[in-house]
Amino acid sequence: MSNLQKEDFSAWYIQTIKQADLMDYSPVRGCMIFKPDGYEIWEHIQEEFNKRFKEEGIRNAYFPMLIPESFFTKEKDHIEGFSPELPWVTEAAGEKLEERLALRPTSETMIGTAFSDWINSYRDLPYEINQWANVFRWEKKTLPFLRTSEFLWQEGHTAHEDEESARKRTMRMLTVYKEVIEELLAIPVYEGQKTPSERFAGAVDTFSVEAMMKDGKAVQAGTSHYMGTKFAEAFDIKYLNRNNEHVYAHTTSWGVSTRLIGATIMVHGDEQGLVLPPKVASRQVVLVPVGPWKKKPEIVERLEELLRDLKAQGIRAIIDDSDNSPGFKFNEWELRGVPMRIEFGPRDMENNQVMIKMRDIEGKEAVSLEGITDYVENALDEMQTRLLETARKNRQMHEYTHINTLEELKQHIEEKRAVGELPGFVLAGWDGELETEAKIKEETGFTTRNIPFHPSVEKESCIVSGKPAKHTVWLARAY
Amino acid sequence: MSNLQKEDFSAWYIQTIKQADLMDYSPVRGCMIFKPDGYEIWEHIQEEFNKRFKEEGIRNAYFPMLIPESFFTKEKDHIEGFSPELPWVTEAAGEKLEERLALRPTSETMIGTAFSDWINSYRDLPYEINQWANVFRWEKKTLPFLRTSEFLWQEGHTAHEDEESARKRTMRMLTVYKEVIEELLAIPVYEGQKTPSERFAGAVDTFSVEAMMKDGKAVQAGTSHYMGTKFAEAFDIKYLNRNNEHVYAHTTSWGVSTRLIGATIMVHGDEQGLVLPPKVASRQVVLVPVGPWKKKPEIVERLEELLRDLKAQGIRAIIDDSDNSPGFKFNEWELRGVPMRIEFGPRDMENNQVMIKMRDIEGKEAVSLEGITDYVENALDEMQTRLLETARKNRQMHEYTHINTLEELKQHIEEKRAVGELPGFVLAGWDGELETEAKIKEETGFTTRNIPFHPSVEKESCIVSGKPAKHTVWLARAY
Ligand SMILES: [Zn+2]
Ligand SMILES: [Zn+2]
């Protein structure tokens, strides 16, 4: 790695994802290629969410990607929010279309139209589905995984009898996001509510889980929206309730995207490149023969036996018996984020042991071949836990709760930058006004991330106006 | 079912997919909605193919959906083949684009461009990937699952050192398709080579697996293409070979799509509606309490215990303890194609038995609750096998090998139609000329399906010209 994470985080990030072979740029503006090692992280995320959605009784479906322009105009806030970044199909099969078709940025309008048909009685409710799909938001500034013109995501859409049931689903999915992001990706998140200016276009309330990257900046890792009856009114999602009245359903939507891959890289990566949580690593263990192994075929034979044993235990392992030097291999697999390296040479054979190097900690350990597969399984589990703990510690070190005025915030940012430290996340009081929120952004580049449900400190006065604070908010620079 | 399969197959098909709740139409011309019960069939198909691809060493990736117009023009046959049905993005984020972007109909051009970057040496070969994606072909006449403007598919793309290795991959994937379609979907297929006029746009050779529907018409169920060096030349996929020369790679591509769902419905469905092969049924077993069950809570309790046991065995089962009558439920779950129904009432409880009705055969059987889960598992396996056998028999009954002239073919078609039978698939001699092939289509509506590798009869003279036959081909009407 020629780019140091500490010195130029952006350059480090780009170098890391290229050297780990996760992606490539494409000739289409703002669109990227997910190479197999990058895409497989997404597949593991999908597997876990599919399991969770199923447990929640939510099933997958698929809706058309092209959305007629007239659909968007039905919900005023929705079209206002999305129209600046929509790509449009205007011609097909040699003919100009009568109505432009947008490439979906999200599917509320398409699914709302379907729900209007499908939902007739309270017996049909709750109606809860999810879609895995490609979506489009024509972005000016792009960053692989984190902001691209086409990306992959899941979008859940549900309709309910009343506000209580819809809000329960909204909050439940936020919890599912928090659990999966923490348990699978080892990324701790802040749960909270978005301020009105950061709400999803057309939502009544938007909630988010926010993660802190190693450069102290925020990534919005998942969002869950309560729509009230706004989309139901726009798309006529009415049902016959238990009192035989036609009333509007309450709807929700919620999503996570391939941004999660970017967040995983930025939270765990280090100066040696990518570090992958074992649960999403395509290769959890790499076996490397060392010493004068080529003269002793029994070295590779023994590794192949170990490989079979590990695979039988459900561990994703490979052998690297290429001609490259051990040092080259160590570096290569570190760059690619493989959680565990097992070295094995003639001397280890004599001692009936292997040398184990975990990607996230210094030093190697000699481990007996006796009971090795259980050892490996435990060590991977421990690494998974350790990554989350380490990320939590990193995060705590860059949470600031003592800042009370905009001047203090500016000074904090300047001071931290001057010494090469991170301004991180700042907990601030806010009077709830759009203008004060805008002023924070204008003067510091920090934006409101969310209003945490249980802030560690309740701030009393607004960081800008000094008036009594309505909310305590997280502020940070964001991707 | 008000529409009889025997009398109006098309009306039957539409009614079947609607009553089984597999899909809905969408307001976007030619695009359909995959509802959960339809989409889950696709998910089971994906699971199986992902397993097979992994065994083959093929990994998933994801490429941009939008393809610049200039990419298409690089391979002349390719653009000619696809341009009549492409939708185009011409505007994005409020601005007119400098170059039109096509919604991918297939990704040879995008992936070819990437391969050109990624492949440098023979050490990089074979390079083998797969993509699951939505694709677009703006169709005039559409039919749910079988022909829609947007559909879902997998497309595999590989690059090889030489023709031999590329052709081996091409044929291997045809075999994988045959195996999965037969084993998972219980659909027997004819393997063979497409005639030049039916080749994939830009391929050197196209191979297909073709299935016969219950109305005797054909569905092309999967294709595998050997591209030679045509795409490599168009996209500059060159590599340094073992002799240190820069040479073109040989490429392949192969795909199956959500058409497979349509084929499954049309091969197995009957006058009671959908019949699903157990391996892809979202619900393999429905448990229905019968008799005066509401007065005896122990009936549903016992069914719940059975449900747990079945689920523990990995069987996808549900209980229908709604207020509807048993007759209503039986009909409902038959329409939806559930492979097995288990009835259980007070009298069955006394006898420690259940009544079992398999979706594809008449009559119920009393089965002891002793060892019931093993019985269910076996019965589902047997049904899976039986469906394939039944489909094979249906197919054999509508294969005709005795037709030697165009007149005989016309007469065959007329005679069969007159008595309400199916003209089916006809094995014919063909002189290999484009004109004779065109004439068959013009005069009978039959098209060449493929040239089977091992026809049961080798035809000696061309059905049109009477000249010596170059090939023996399958002829049929096709979806
Ligand atoms: Zn994996
Ligand atoms: Zn299933």
Side-chain angles (χ1 to χ4, degrees):
Chain A
M1 296 285 299
S2 53
N3 291 292
L4 286 178
Q5 186 177 59
K6 272 188 203 156
E7 285 173 6
D8 186 344
F9 195 79
S10 300
W12 168 86
Y13 177 68
I14 297 298
Q15 192 181 7
T16 293
I17 60 180
K18 291 292 292 178
Q19 295 212 345
D21 205 26
L22 301 184
M23 59 74 66
D24 202 354
Y25 294 98
S26 92
V28 185
R29 196 180 133 295
C31 296
M32 61 173 279
I33 298 169
F34 294 80
K35 295 187 80 174
D37 279 2
Y39 191 77
E40 189 167 333
I41 300 173
W42 186 236
E43 289 183 298
H44 289 294
I45 293 171
Q46 288 186 302
E47 275 163 31
E48 182 63 25
F49 276 116
N50 273 331
K51 205 185 100 203
R52 300 285 186 133
F53 294 163
K54 205 171 173 184
E55 286 165 9
E56 298 286 324
I58 294 158
R59 296 181 69 194
N60 291 330
Y62 186 77
F63 292 81
M65 191 200 67
L66 296 171
I67 302 186
E69 184 164 19
S70 55
F71 281 35
F72 277 100
T73 56
K74 287 189 184 177
E75 215 295 317
K76 183 177 61 62
D77 295 333
H78 195 66
I79 181 74
E80 268 177 28
F82 284 109
S83 71
E85 33 186 50
L86 294 180
W88 295 97
V89 171
T90 61
E91 310 165 4
E95 285 177 25
K96 206 165 152 46
L97 299 179
E98 285 179 20
E99 181 179 15
R100 295 195 297 176
L101 301 170
L103 272 50
R104 68 180 154 222
T106 179
S107 301
E108 275 74 13
T109 60
M110 177 61 70
I111 293 178
T113 306
F115 275 11
S116 158
D117 258 11
W118 299 346
I119 294 167
N120 298 302
S121 147
Y122 69 88
R123 286 190 197 84
D124 300 325
L125 299 175
Y127 198 100
E128 306 192 297
I129 51 163
N130 175 62
Q131 164 170 280
W132 294 97
N134 54 342
V135 281
F136 293 81
R137 298 183 189 172
W138 219 246
E139 301 282 359
K140 293 234 161 53
K141 273 191 155 183
T142 62
L143 187 62
F145 297 115
L146 285 171
R147 193 173 291 277
T148 49
S149 293
E150 179 182 15
F151 59 95
L152 304 175
W153 82 347
Q154 64 68 214
E155 48 179 322
H157 296 268
T158 68
H160 304 259
E161 285 187 67
D162 53 27
E163 176 166 354
E164 189 190 345
S165 155
R167 284 196 177 274
K168 206 170 147 189
R169 172 53 69 206
T170 307
M171 299 317 291
R172 173 65 193 148
M173 297 323 288
L174 197 70
T175 301
V176 168
Y177 287 162
K178 180 184 165 72
E179 287 174 4
V180 172
I181 294 167
E182 294 192 348
E183 290 166 21
L184 189 78
L185 302 176
I187 301 176
V189 293
Y190 300 102
E191 286 176 294
Q193 180 164 5
K194 286 297 213 186
T195 63
S197 74
E198 298 266 333
R199 244 185 233 146
F200 178 79
V204 169
D205 285 318
T206 288
F207 303 88
S208 73
V209 285
E210 306 274 338
M212 191 195 294
M213 305 299 102
K214 269 200 178 167
D215 65 349
K217 285 172 74 176
V219 165
Q220 179 178 290
T223 50
S224 188
H225 317 289
Y226 169 60
M227 306 297 191
T229 57
K230 287 176 75 177
F231 280 87
E233 288 171 40
F235 293 93
D236 198 36
I237 312 173
K238 274 188 164 177
Y239 72 96
L240 204 63
N241 73 8
R242 289 162 205 264
N243 304 321
N244 233 26
E245 300 154 335
H246 275 96
V247 296
Y248 288 116
H250 292 248
T251 67
T252 84
S253 76
W254 24 275
V256 299
S257 76
T258 37
R259 306 199 93 191
L260 287 177
I261 302 172
T264 303
I265 301 159
M266 285 192 174
V267 165
H268 303 298
D270 65 17
E271 301 297 8
Q272 279 72 51
L274 188 66
V275 176
L276 282 176
K279 287 188 182 174
V280 294
S282 62
R283 309 168 194 90
Q284 297 173 313
V285 180
V286 59
L287 308 176
V288 182
V290 296
W293 62 275
K294 283 191 190 170
K295 294 177 206 144
K296 297 192 176 256
E298 58 270 32
I299 296 294
V300 170
E301 279 163 23
R302 184 67 188 85
L303 281 179
E304 275 165 358
E305 191 191 325
L306 178 53
L307 183 74
R308 276 192 300 276
D309 292 346
L310 291 173
K311 283 186 173 174
Q313 197 103 338
I315 293 163
R316 299 186 288 271
I318 54 161
I319 291 182
D320 183 353
D321 58 359
S322 66
D323 288 342
N324 298 316
S325 72
F328 180 96
K329 293 177 188 176
F330 296 174
N331 185 50
E332 173 76 8
W333 297 113
E334 281 180 0
L335 284 171
R336 287 169 175 256
V338 177
M340 177 190 283
R341 179 175 79 227
I342 296 183
E343 304 169 16
F344 186 63
R347 195 168 306 169
D348 299 308
M349 189 139 200
E350 274 169 33
N351 297 327
N352 196 39
Q353 66 173 35
V354 296
M355 294 304 293
I356 288 189
K357 167 74 177 73
M358 300 305 293
R359 176 65 183 82
D360 64 322
I361 46 179
E362 295 295 317
K364 302 180 197 178
E365 200 176 342
V367 176
S368 165
L369 272 163
E370 219 58 56
I372 181 73
T373 56
D374 286 341
Y375 179 93
V376 169
E377 198 170 24
N378 286 334
L380 291 172
D381 285 348
E382 279 169 20
M383 172 170 168
Q384 182 79 30
T385 308
R386 194 164 58 235
L387 287 182
L388 178 60
E389 279 166 12
T390 304
R392 238 187 252 289
K393 272 181 218 149
N394 279 342
R395 188 175 80 154
Q396 263 162 10
M397 282 169 54
H398 305 102
E399 282 173 11
Y400 299 95
T401 60
H402 66 286
I403 292 166
N404 295 316
T405 67
L406 202 52
E407 273 319 304
E408 285 175 23
L409 176 57
K410 286 190 214 169
Q411 205 180 330
H412 163 77
I413 295 170
E414 263 172 45
E415 280 175 11
K416 287 294 170 190
R417 291 213 176 126
V419 296
E421 286 178 15
L422 307 175
F425 276 44
V426 169
L427 205 59
W430 176 50
D431 62 11
E433 298 296 326
L434 275 173
E435 304 88 72
T436 51
E437 191 182 14
K439 193 159 187 192
I440 299 168
K441 184 173 181 180
E442 209 181 287
E443 304 217 350
T444 66
F446 272 46
T447 53
T448 58
R449 299 323 307 150
N450 65 24
I451 301 166
F453 300 135
H454 307 290
S456 58
V457 179
E458 285 281 2
K459 305 297 283 189
E460 298 193 351
S461 62
C462 175
I463 189 171
V464 178
S465 66
K467 290 182 192 163
K470 271 202 185 142
H471 302 289
T472 297
V473 297
W474 277 119
L475 300 176
R477 288 190 70 102
Y479 278 100
Chain B
M1 296 286 296
S2 55
N3 291 293
L4 287 178
Q5 187 177 59
K6 273 186 202 160
E7 285 173 6
D8 186 344
F9 194 80
S10 301
W12 169 87
Y13 177 68
I14 298 299
Q15 192 179 6
T16 294
I17 58 181
K18 288 296 290 179
Q19 296 212 344
D21 206 27
L22 302 184
M23 58 75 63
D24 202 353
Y25 295 98
S26 92
V28 186
R29 196 181 133 296
C31 295
M32 61 172 280
I33 298 169
F34 293 80
K35 294 187 80 175
D37 279 2
Y39 191 77
E40 189 167 332
I41 300 173
W42 186 236
E43 290 183 297
H44 289 293
I45 293 171
Q46 289 185 301
E47 277 163 30
E48 182 63 24
F49 276 114
N50 273 331
K51 204 186 100 203
R52 300 285 186 131
F53 294 163
K54 205 172 174 185
E55 285 165 9
E56 298 286 322
I58 294 157
R59 297 181 70 193
N60 291 328
Y62 187 77
F63 292 81
M65 191 199 66
L66 295 171
I67 302 185
E69 184 164 17
S70 55
F71 281 34
F72 277 101
T73 56
K74 287 190 184 176
E75 213 297 317
K76 183 178 61 63
D77 295 331
H78 195 67
I79 181 73
E80 269 177 27
F82 284 108
S83 71
E85 34 186 49
L86 294 180
W88 295 97
V89 171
T90 61
E91 310 165 3
E95 285 177 23
K96 206 166 153 43
L97 299 179
E98 284 178 23
E99 181 179 14
R100 296 194 297 174
L101 302 170
L103 272 51
R104 69 179 154 223
T106 180
S107 301
E108 275 75 12
T109 59
M110 177 60 70
I111 293 178
T113 306
F115 275 10
S116 157
D117 259 11
W118 299 345
I119 294 167
N120 299 303
S121 147
Y122 69 89
R123 286 190 198 84
D124 300 325
L125 298 176
Y127 198 101
E128 306 192 298
I129 52 161
N130 175 63
Q131 164 170 276
W132 294 95
N134 55 341
V135 281
F136 292 82
R137 298 181 190 173
W138 218 245
E139 300 283 358
K140 292 234 162 54
K141 272 190 154 183
T142 61
L143 186 62
F145 296 115
L146 285 171
R147 193 172 291 276
T148 50
S149 293
E150 178 183 16
F151 57 96
L152 304 176
W153 82 347
Q154 64 68 215
E155 48 180 322
H157 296 268
T158 67
H160 305 260
E161 284 188 68
D162 53 27
E163 175 165 355
E164 190 190 345
S165 155
R167 283 196 178 273
K168 207 170 147 190
R169 172 53 71 205
T170 307
M171 300 318 291
R172 174 64 194 148
M173 297 323 287
L174 198 69
T175 301
V176 169
Y177 287 162
K178 181 185 164 74
E179 287 174 2
V180 172
I181 294 167
E182 294 192 349
E183 291 165 22
L184 189 78
L185 302 176
I187 300 175
V189 293
Y190 300 101
E191 287 176 294
Q193 180 164 6
K194 288 297 220 186
T195 64
S197 73
E198 299 266 332
R199 244 184 233 144
F200 178 80
V204 169
D205 285 318
T206 288
F207 302 88
S208 73
V209 285
E210 305 273 339
M212 190 195 296
M213 305 299 103
K214 270 200 177 167
D215 64 350
K217 286 171 74 177
V219 164
Q220 180 178 290
T223 50
S224 188
H225 318 290
Y226 169 60
M227 306 297 193
T229 57
K230 286 176 76 176
F231 280 86
E233 288 170 41
F235 294 93
D236 199 36
I237 311 173
K238 274 189 165 177
Y239 72 96
L240 204 63
N241 72 10
R242 289 162 205 264
N243 303 322
N244 234 24
E245 300 153 334
H246 274 97
V247 296
Y248 287 116
H250 292 248
T251 66
T252 83
S253 76
W254 25 275
V256 298
S257 75
T258 38
R259 303 200 95 192
L260 287 177
I261 302 171
T264 303
I265 300 158
M266 285 191 174
V267 165
H268 303 299
D270 64 18
E271 301 298 7
Q272 279 73 51
L274 188 66
V275 176
L276 283 176
K279 287 188 181 173
V280 293
S282 61
R283 309 167 193 93
Q284 297 172 314
V285 179
V286 59
L287 308 175
V288 182
V290 296
W293 61 275
K294 286 193 188 169
K295 294 176 206 142
K296 299 193 175 255
E298 59 270 33
I299 296 294
V300 170
E301 278 162 24
R302 184 66 187 82
L303 281 180
E304 276 164 357
E305 191 191 324
L306 178 53
L307 183 75
R308 278 192 300 275
D309 291 347
L310 291 173
K311 283 185 172 174
Q313 197 103 338
I315 293 163
R316 299 186 287 272
I318 54 161
I319 291 184
D320 182 354
D321 57 358
S322 66
D323 287 341
N324 298 317
S325 72
F328 180 94
K329 293 178 188 176
F330 295 174
N331 185 52
E332 173 77 9
W333 296 114
E334 281 180 359
L335 285 171
R336 288 170 175 257
V338 178
M340 177 189 283
R341 179 175 80 228
I342 296 183
E343 303 169 18
F344 186 64
R347 195 167 306 168
D348 300 308
M349 189 136 200
E350 274 169 35
N351 297 327
N352 196 39
Q353 67 173 32
V354 295
M355 295 303 296
I356 288 189
K357 167 73 177 74
M358 300 305 294
R359 175 65 183 81
D360 63 322
I361 46 177
E362 294 296 315
K364 303 180 196 177
E365 200 175 343
V367 176
S368 166
L369 273 163
E370 219 59 55
I372 181 73
T373 55
D374 286 342
Y375 179 93
V376 169
E377 199 171 25
N378 286 333
L380 291 172
D381 284 349
E382 279 169 20
M383 174 171 167
Q384 182 79 30
T385 308
R386 197 164 56 234
L387 288 182
L388 179 60
E389 280 167 11
T390 304
R392 237 187 251 288
K393 274 182 215 149
N394 280 341
R395 188 176 79 154
Q396 262 162 8
M397 282 169 55
H398 305 102
E399 283 172 9
Y400 299 95
T401 60
H402 65 287
I403 292 166
N404 295 314
T405 67
L406 202 51
E407 273 319 303
E408 286 173 23
L409 176 57
K410 286 189 213 169
Q411 205 181 332
H412 162 77
I413 296 171
E414 264 171 45
E415 281 174 11
K416 287 295 172 189
R417 290 208 178 128
V419 296
E421 286 178 14
L422 307 175
F425 275 44
V426 169
L427 206 58
W430 176 50
D431 61 11
E433 297 298 324
L434 275 174
E435 304 89 69
T436 50
E437 191 182 14
K439 193 158 186 191
I440 299 169
K441 184 173 183 182
E442 208 181 289
E443 305 217 350
T444 66
F446 273 46
T447 52
T448 57
R449 300 322 307 151
N450 65 24
I451 301 166
F453 301 134
H454 306 292
S456 58
V457 179
E458 286 280 4
K459 305 296 284 188
E460 298 194 349
S461 63
C462 175
I463 189 170
V464 178
S465 67
K467 290 182 193 163
K470 269 200 187 146
H471 302 289
T472 297
V473 298
W474 278 119
L475 300 176
R477 289 190 70 103
Y479 278 100

